Amino acid sequence: MKRIFETTLALAAMALAASTAHAADITGAGSSFVEPIMSRWSADYNKITGDRVNYQPNGSGAGIAAIKAGTVDFGASDQPLGSAELAAAGLAQFPVVIGGILPVVNIAGVAPGALHFSGALLADVLMGRITKWNDPAIVKLNRGVKLPDAAITVVHRADGSGTTFNLTHYLAQVSPAWKAGPGEGKTVNWPAASIGGKQNAGVAQAVKQTANSIGYVEYAYVVENKMTYALVSNADGRFVMPNAASFGAAAARAPWDRASDFNLVMTNAPGPKAWPITATTFVLVYKHPQAEKAASSAAAMKFFRWALAKGTAQAAALNYVALPPALVGRVNSYVTANIK
Amino acid sequence: MDATALPVPRPVAAHAESPLPARRLSDGGGDRVFAGITRTAAWGVFLLLIGIAGSMFWGGRQAFQTFGLHFLISDAWDVGRDQYGALIPIFGTLASSAIAMLIAVPTSFGIAVFLAEVAPRWVRSPIAIAVELLAAVPSIVYGMWGLFFFAPVMSARVEPWLIAHVGPLPILGPLFQGAPIGIGMLTAGIILAIMIIPFISSVMRDVFQAIPPALRESAFALGATPWEVVRRVTLPHTRSAVVGAVFLGLGRALGETMAVTFVIGNSFNFSKSLLAPGNSIASAIANEFAEAEGLHRSALIAIGFLLFVVTFIVLAIAKLMLARLSRTEGRAA
Amino acid sequence: MIIAPGLLARRKTVNVIALIAATATTVFGLFWLAWILWTTFSQGAAALSPRLFTEMTPPPGSEGGLLNALFGSFVMVALGVVIGTPIGVLAGTYLAEYGRASKLANTIRFVNDILLSAPSILIGLFVYELVVAQQGHYSALAGGIALAIILIPVVVRTSDEALRLVPNQMREAALALGVPQWKVTTRIIYRAGVTGIMTGILLAVARISGETAPLLFTALGNQYWSADLNAPMANIPTAIYNYANAPQDEAHVLAWAGAFVITAFVLLLNIVVRFFLRTRTPR
């Protein structure tokens, strides 16, 4: 008994010692969209510099609230803040990684990539204005696909989500009916008979077990779980496959130069090769952090500079898209100019 | 019985052969200190609730001010237009908890009776520990298991059966209509029931086993069957603790967040059918709080405060009913 | 004593039916347990190796374990127990020994029952406002406080009931012997009611070791090892939550493995505590 006690004491002492013998400790919170790539970057950065960047995905809203309250060193949000709000809080904002959102379906006999939607059609389906799979509007775009005479079940995100925000922002851009109806936001009104799934996992599961359903999840999810995705025509009217190339094409053509503080949602980006529902996540940091936070804030910025410059391979491996070089250049100049 | 009212014994005259240690007058002080400590702890609990309820009320004041009493009966929940109402979350909380209690209380009682009267001595401890293990499973695991393993079974087997066989019946029928999607109020209620069984049954079991053996044995000696012993001796003797166990489970059911969130379907639409998705107060808060701002956030905290109110009302009704029951039986509660 | 044969037969039948029903409900309860445990075990089996206990939580694409999360959960649950149990047991003692059936005591019991039903997420929010926002950072200490607040009502109720069940003869005998009131309670009544009190504490520990929502607002979570009570600390429920929501399959396996480990740990705790109780207080 005494031996166990002494061993425990020794282990505890070692643990305490280990916890003090390291470089900077940086805390960040926010969007769950970027959690995989943040933790990957953090682990690799830790091996190089010894700094520990601890990122926890408790939601974009919580991340924004946390950075405003000063309880973390940086926040991550799927929805950009406006310049006025940023200035009032003393925050700077820049994009950090890009991902795609795909509609997924569960229809017997329909293969991945076989089903085609236009933006307006997708909006009508998700809004509940089109209720059956063999509706003439859907059939018109999908001549070669056998669509059943069955009711459509819509699956949406139950929890407030940046993914929902980006999708609804896109739908509001391409469908006046959607804009007047559910509108855009992290939580919107979905049709009465729809199902809410918690997080991407919940939506994916709900789609998987409900026949004739349609939902929306992030690209990484579709790839890892081999889901049946549908194609959506882009601003140029073309159907492109969702992959790193089409997300990157959207990012390259999005009008970043017109957005102050990078306040831009890049859905429905122009260009023949662009995927229409592409999203980015924004990092929020203090422009002039207070004294006790100055060191960790500066360390956080060093981490992000490294991630933007050297973290492209990890992003690709995890089915994200790194920022195109031109955008990285823009971010670097913005950071140098604004963050001290 | 107030500790300070106890007479402090005077030092006893020591007997020649076995001298008793003299009592110190300060033992009365020890009583006062201990009583004071316990009283402080009890007041602490009281203040804790006031603090939490108060901060919830404060956080929700914007919603209360904006919507007034209409908030309680409105079934709106439109984040885009900033219209909120508490009716659907309150209904969902009550309905899922009711289902859970309907299933869990008889089951827990049965388990406690089994352990007290039926099980041979050597099997009691293992089964008791096994039942308590249900409490050790993290609530998020209940949610994950419920969503990925239980809901598909509900959707494929149980719900179609219910729709086909109970759906057409007159009174119960409307409760079992609709598409068998597997997630919804019924699934949430069943999972809640499983979660609260260990709370109710362990306390019941402990209490059944703590009865003075003389009471039980005298009943057996008079020729009572084991079931009669439970009904006539065990239950009346432990009534207060049994009720306490039920309240423990009810409290857990009303406030459970994670497990319900995964399987309740999270829909702000009102439906009579138990098979339809719904929402509960705790799961609405869990889902939307992280992303909520302004009036939305205030509305979520406001329904959190309303959960306290709902609990207050439910418990008050329950205690009133119990008080009436024991009055008719001629016993002080 | 002559009993009508019909009556006896009826009573016996009722008895048999009741006892069969009791057995059936036990089987019913155990069926769920078996299903859930089997699920956590089979889903997490691939990750159940010594590595689980020696390596830290990995980012996607790497292998790892749950050491920091296990340590963090252990620390915060222990904090919760250390902070909450004395308050809970003492409050329960007040209700059972001093307040009894007085108006004040009944009010406090009522208030305690309401606190029991508080959603853990609201308690997390409360502690966030009280501790995290004031201190300016997330911390394991805040997490421990939140867990303590969840633990207290359970312990208060079960202690109250356990102590009230101790027969009055014991109190009266001790008092008649001249034992001061506080010693009667601490030396005699506590010992008599220890099984009930421990049941309450164990139930509460089981519950708080699996709570996610309050920790998300207080301890946040940590990808790395941390033994600093004033900093975010990893914990099992948050780790399970994050891994369950990740796209990668290996992450899901790790989540189930974590679930299995925490359940097994609480089971072990239960067995050990009850074993000690049995040897100390022979019935």
Side-chain angles (χ1 to χ4, degrees), chain A residues 57 123 217 273 294:
Chain A
V217 289
K273 298 220 178 71

Side-chain angles (χ1 to χ4, degrees), chain C residues 197-274:
Chain C
I197 297 179
M198 280 318 289
T199 302
I201 298 177
L202 287 171
L203 272 176
V205 165
R207 178 171 173 191
I208 64 175
S209 52
E211 282 287 348
T212 320
L215 295 177
L216 282 175
F217 290 99
T218 50
L220 193 64
N222 202 327
Q223 195 175 333
Y224 300 99
W225 173 268
S226 169
D228 184 4
L229 285 181
N230 258 321
M233 193 181 273
N235 53 82
I236 291 281
T238 309
I240 294 178
Y241 185 69
N242 290 343
Y243 282 133
N245 290 321
Q248 293 80 11
D249 258 340
E250 306 88 54
H252 298 162
V253 170
L254 208 50
W256 288 109
F260 183 75
V261 167
I262 200 101
T263 312
F265 168 72
V266 175
L267 168 68
L268 223 63
L269 186 66
N270 250 299
I271 296 178
V272 164
V273 169
R274 286 190 188 277

Side-chain angles (χ1 to χ4, degrees), chain A residues 123-207:
Chain A
D124 283 340
V125 168
L126 291 179
M127 223 162 49
R129 286 204 336 176
I130 294 183
T131 51
K132 288 206 162 207
W133 279 117
N134 61 350
D135 189 285
I138 307 182
V139 172
K140 195 160 79 143
L141 276 178
N142 292 281
R143 291 265 174 234
V145 183
K146 194 161 180 322
L147 290 162
D149 177 21
I152 303 177
T153 307
V154 172
V155 179
H156 61 265
R157 280 288 285 273
D159 44 321
S161 145
T163 311
T164 305
F165 165 72
N166 281 301
L167 175 72
T168 52
H169 183 92
Y170 167 71
L171 293 174
Q173 279 175 309
V174 296
S175 163
W178 181 277
K179 191 168 169 141
E184 72 176 48
K186 298 201 190 111
T187 314
V188 297
N189 285 352
W190 297 92
S194 63
I195 307 175
K198 192 165 167 65
Q199 301 273 1
N200 282 297
V203 171
Q205 175 69 12
V207 167

Side-chain angles (χ1 to χ4, degrees), chain A residues 3-315:
Chain A
R3 182 75 65 84
I4 300 175
F5 182 68
E6 283 170 354
T7 323
T8 320
L9 213 56
L11 276 172
M14 280 196 317
L16 278 164
S19 73
T20 47
H22 58 72
D25 259 343
I26 302 151
T27 311
S31 146
S32 50
F33 187 76
V34 293
E35 196 266 333
I37 186 62
M38 281 283 193
S39 62
R40 173 87 260 157
W41 276 338
S42 169
D44 291 347
Y45 188 68
N46 177 255
K47 284 205 201 74
I48 301 173
T49 64
D51 283 359
R52 308 196 318 178
V53 179
N54 174 27
Y55 180 76
Q56 292 296 321
N58 54 4
S60 302
I64 297 174
I67 186 66
K68 280 189 184 171
T71 48
V72 291
D73 298 307
F74 69 89
S77 165
D78 297 324
Q79 182 173 359
L81 300 185
S83 293
E85 196 179 347
L86 288 167
L91 293 171
Q93 165 178 275
F94 54 89
V96 74
V97 80
I98 292 166
I101 299 170
L102 280 56
V104 286
V105 296
N106 176 358
I107 309 172
V110 172
L115 201 57
H116 290 194
F117 287 100
S118 71
L121 182 64
L122 184 63
D124 283 340
V125 168
L126 291 179
M127 223 162 49
R129 286 204 336 176
I130 294 183
T131 51
K132 288 206 162 207
W133 279 117
N134 61 350
D135 189 285
I138 307 182
V139 172
K140 195 160 79 143
L141 276 178
N142 292 281
R143 291 265 174 234
V145 183
K146 194 161 180 322
L147 290 162
D149 177 21
I152 303 177
T153 307
V154 172
V155 179
H156 61 265
R157 280 288 285 273
D159 44 321
S161 145
T163 311
T164 305
F165 165 72
N166 281 301
L167 175 72
T168 52
H169 183 92
Y170 167 71
L171 293 174
Q173 279 175 309
V174 296
S175 163
W178 181 277
K179 191 168 169 141
E184 72 176 48
K186 298 201 190 111
T187 314
V188 297
N189 285 352
W190 297 92
S194 63
I195 307 175
K198 192 165 167 65
Q199 301 273 1
N200 282 297
V203 171
Q205 175 69 12
V207 167
K208 201 164 78 157
Q209 71 181 48
T210 312
N212 303 313
S213 59
I214 179 170
Y216 57 94
V217 289
E218 296 159 21
Y219 176 62
Y221 239 93
V222 174
V223 169
E224 294 277 351
N225 294 289
K226 302 190 186 20
M227 302 187 73
T228 307
Y229 57 91
L231 300 186
V232 185
S233 58
N234 59 21
D236 281 17
R238 304 257 190 105
F239 286 99
V240 296
M241 293 297 282
N243 50 33
S246 55
F247 303 155
R253 292 286 296 264
W256 292 106
D257 46 344
R258 276 187 267 135
S260 85
D261 288 309
F262 297 102
N263 181 5
L264 173 75
V265 184
M266 45 180 247
T267 53
N268 209 26
K273 298 220 178 71
W275 174 258
I277 324 176
T278 312
T280 186
T281 304
F282 301 87
V283 164
L284 301 157
V285 285
Y286 276 101
K287 285 190 184 169
H288 310 287
Q290 290 171 327
E292 65 265 14
K293 294 273 189 180
S296 46
S297 201
M301 285 317 304
K302 269 182 55 192
F303 166 69
F304 284 116
R305 278 192 203 267
W306 171 88
L308 287 174
K310 302 271 175 54
T312 50
Q314 294 94 323

Side-chain angles (χ1 to χ4, degrees), chain B residues 34 38 132 199 202-207 210 241 248, chain C residues 81 84-97 151-166 171 184-206 269-270 273-274 277 281 283:
Chain B
F34 187 71
T38 59
E132 275 182 28
F199 282 82
S202 343
V203 177
M204 274 190 190
R205 177 209 75 223
D206 254 357
V207 140
L248 207 60
Chain C
V81 169
T85 309
I87 299 177
V89 171
L90 285 171
T93 310
Y94 173 81
L95 292 175
E97 301 291 316
L151 176 132
I152 284 174
V154 179
V155 172
V156 167
R157 198 173 233 303
T158 45
S159 308
D160 179 22
E161 299 292 350
L163 292 175
R164 277 204 298 186
L165 271 173
V166 174
R171 291 185 186 84
V184 171
T185 312
T186 55
R187 297 283 177 83
I188 298 169
I189 306 299
Y190 275 170
R191 232 177 248 171
V194 72
T195 321
I197 297 179
M198 280 318 289
T199 302
I201 298 177
L202 287 171
L203 272 176
V205 165
L269 186 66
N270 250 299
V273 169
R274 286 190 188 277
L277 278 182
T281 57
R283 258 191 188 279

